[in-house]
Amino acid sequence: MPKSDFVSVPSSCTLCPRRCGADRAAGRTGSCGAGGTLKAARAALHYWEEPCISGTKGSGTVFFSGCTLKCCFCQNYPISAEGLGKEISVEHLAEIFLNLQEQGANNINLVTPDHYIPQIISAIDMARSRNFKLPFVYNCSGYETAEMIQLLDGYIDVYLPDFKFMSPDLSAKYSNAPDYPEHAKASISEMVRQCGGDQTRFDDDGIMQRGVIVRHLQLPDHLDDSKSIITYLYNTYKDSIYISIMNQYTPMPGIENRFPELGRTITSSEYDELVDYAIDIGVENGFIQEGETAKESFIPAFDNEGV
């Protein structure tokens, strides 16, 4: 029997670590901004992920509205914090998956999906009953509970979490989540159990079919925290995961008024030092970014395309 028969929109929501208790089944919104209905802002082929995710055909990316974390520097803030998007049914989400498969997508890339886990599980069951074959990528903030990730066992093929902060002080300051590091560690451990290590595999075109890629977005002036994250990930998992070190931090309008240190992009020397550090401690399974990636042109238009 499909797992979706046992999962429903919560009447007292504890899906994320904030455990706000909102009666989302009755339509009340939680701290994530979501109520009882799915909401998405874009579903289209996306070419700006890691090469083994996007390839040349593109990743079939579904951007969900709302967010459990809401970082102050989020480049997707119109959908994560301001609620931009369109309400859709579970059945329509399954249709979106099938449409993206028909467009030639390498995979289905679920972006910021945590607060919609029950509906996503149901939509995956529906799509698979209609001969859906692509891998599912779970593209998330790292602020998940291990219990919720356990629900996804058998549904997700590739996990693509962030590991944003090692310092509770930084995660409290920038995301109002001092417990972020402990939850990131626990949820990533469960992701690796499901899909990492010897389970990792790629197709003949180099597209990941199963595995774990942990992303870290380097912030200006916080090199030591970044090094702590890379150290933890490598010492804990070695080559059981891939580590993606990102230099694309883009200051959003007005951020310098609240946090002056975040009012600039990172320098090439800051990024080079972090990449060199990762190489020096032994990281081999990794991705780095080259060129001028810290541009708003890399942020997709959230215009309800495909939804």
Side-chain angles (χ1 to χ4, degrees):
M1 184 175 292
K3 190 180 292 186
S4 56
D5 291 348
F6 302 97
V7 182
S8 60
V9 178
S11 58
S12 180
C13 192
T14 58
L15 284 177
C16 85
R18 298 197 191 275
R19 303 184 186 277
C20 69
D23 187 354
R24 291 178 54 201
R28 295 183 178 87
T29 56
S31 60
C32 60
T37 306
L38 278 164
K39 197 173 184 182
R42 183 179 176 84
L45 297 177
H46 190 64
Y47 298 91
W48 300 328
E49 309 288 27
E50 286 74 7
C52 65
I53 301 295
S54 291
T56 58
K57 296 179 181 178
S59 178
T61 306
V62 183
F63 288 89
F64 292 98
S65 303
C67 181
T68 62
L69 193 55
K70 292 189 175 72
C71 301
C72 66
F73 51 81
C74 181
Q75 67 181 21
N76 293 348
Y77 69 91
I79 60 172
S80 64
E82 296 180 350
L84 188 69
K86 177 182 176 182
E87 290 189 348
I88 60 175
S89 67
V90 172
E91 292 79 7
H92 186 55
L93 181 60
E95 290 284 350
I96 288 172
F97 296 161
L98 291 160
N99 289 340
L100 289 168
Q101 179 173 251
E102 290 177 3
Q103 292 174 42
N106 289 314
N107 44 55
I108 299 297
N109 187 348
L110 306 167
V111 181
T112 321
D114 304 324
H115 42 300
Y116 295 120
I117 283 176
Q119 298 102 315
I120 287 170
I121 286 174
S122 294
I124 291 174
D125 281 334
M126 290 179 185
R128 286 177 173 171
S129 73
R130 296 173 59 182
N131 203 35
F132 184 87
K133 300 296 185 184
L134 297 181
F136 280 94
V137 178
Y138 197 81
N139 187 336
C140 60
S141 70
Y143 195 51
E144 294 83 36
T145 67
E147 293 80 9
M148 290 303 103
I149 299 301
Q150 287 169 7
L151 286 176
L152 296 168
D153 195 358
Y155 286 89
I156 300 302
D157 305 283
V158 177
Y159 282 102
L160 190 59
D162 292 337
F163 199 132
K164 295 178 182 290
F165 317 101
M166 183 62 77
S167 164
D169 291 339
L170 285 183
S171 53
K173 182 178 181 180
Y174 296 142
S175 299
N176 192 30
D179 57 348
Y180 176 89
E182 65 185 82
H183 286 292
K185 290 176 181 179
S187 61
I188 290 171
S189 177
E190 173 60 20
M191 295 172 191
V192 174
R193 184 194 69 80
Q194 291 180 24
C195 297
D198 293 341
Q199 302 172 81
T200 305
R201 66 177 186 273
F202 299 81
D203 69 10
D204 292 341
D205 295 320
I207 302 301
M208 183 175 277
Q209 302 297 295
R210 194 168 189 85
V212 178
I213 303 172
V214 182
R215 289 171 161 173
H216 174 64
L217 175 66
Q218 186 177 2
L219 298 177
D221 285 340
H222 293 303
L223 181 60
D224 287 345
D225 197 66
S226 293
K227 287 181 177 179
S228 295
I229 289 168
I230 302 303
T231 300
Y232 170 78
L233 291 172
Y234 183 68
N235 286 347
T236 304
Y237 298 111
K238 298 298 182 184
D239 295 328
S240 292
I241 65 170
Y242 284 73
I243 300 174
S244 182
I245 304 175
M246 305 169 72
N247 70 350
Q248 68 187 51
Y249 171 75
T250 303
M252 292 294 101
I255 188 69
E256 70 280 358
N257 297 326
R258 295 178 59 200
F259 304 106
E261 70 276 16
L262 298 184
R264 64 172 179 85
T265 60
I266 66 169
T267 65
S268 57
S269 60
E270 284 176 311
Y271 186 64
D272 289 346
E273 183 173 344
L274 183 59
V275 170
D276 289 344
Y277 176 79
I279 293 170
D280 288 345
I281 66 172
V283 175
E284 294 183 357
N285 287 352
F287 297 97
I288 62 172
Q289 293 181 314
E290 297 179 342
E292 298 182 29
T293 57
K295 292 182 177 179
E296 289 194 40
S297 60
F298 279 77
I299 302 171
F302 300 121
D303 53 5
N304 296 334
E305 179 182 350
V307 298

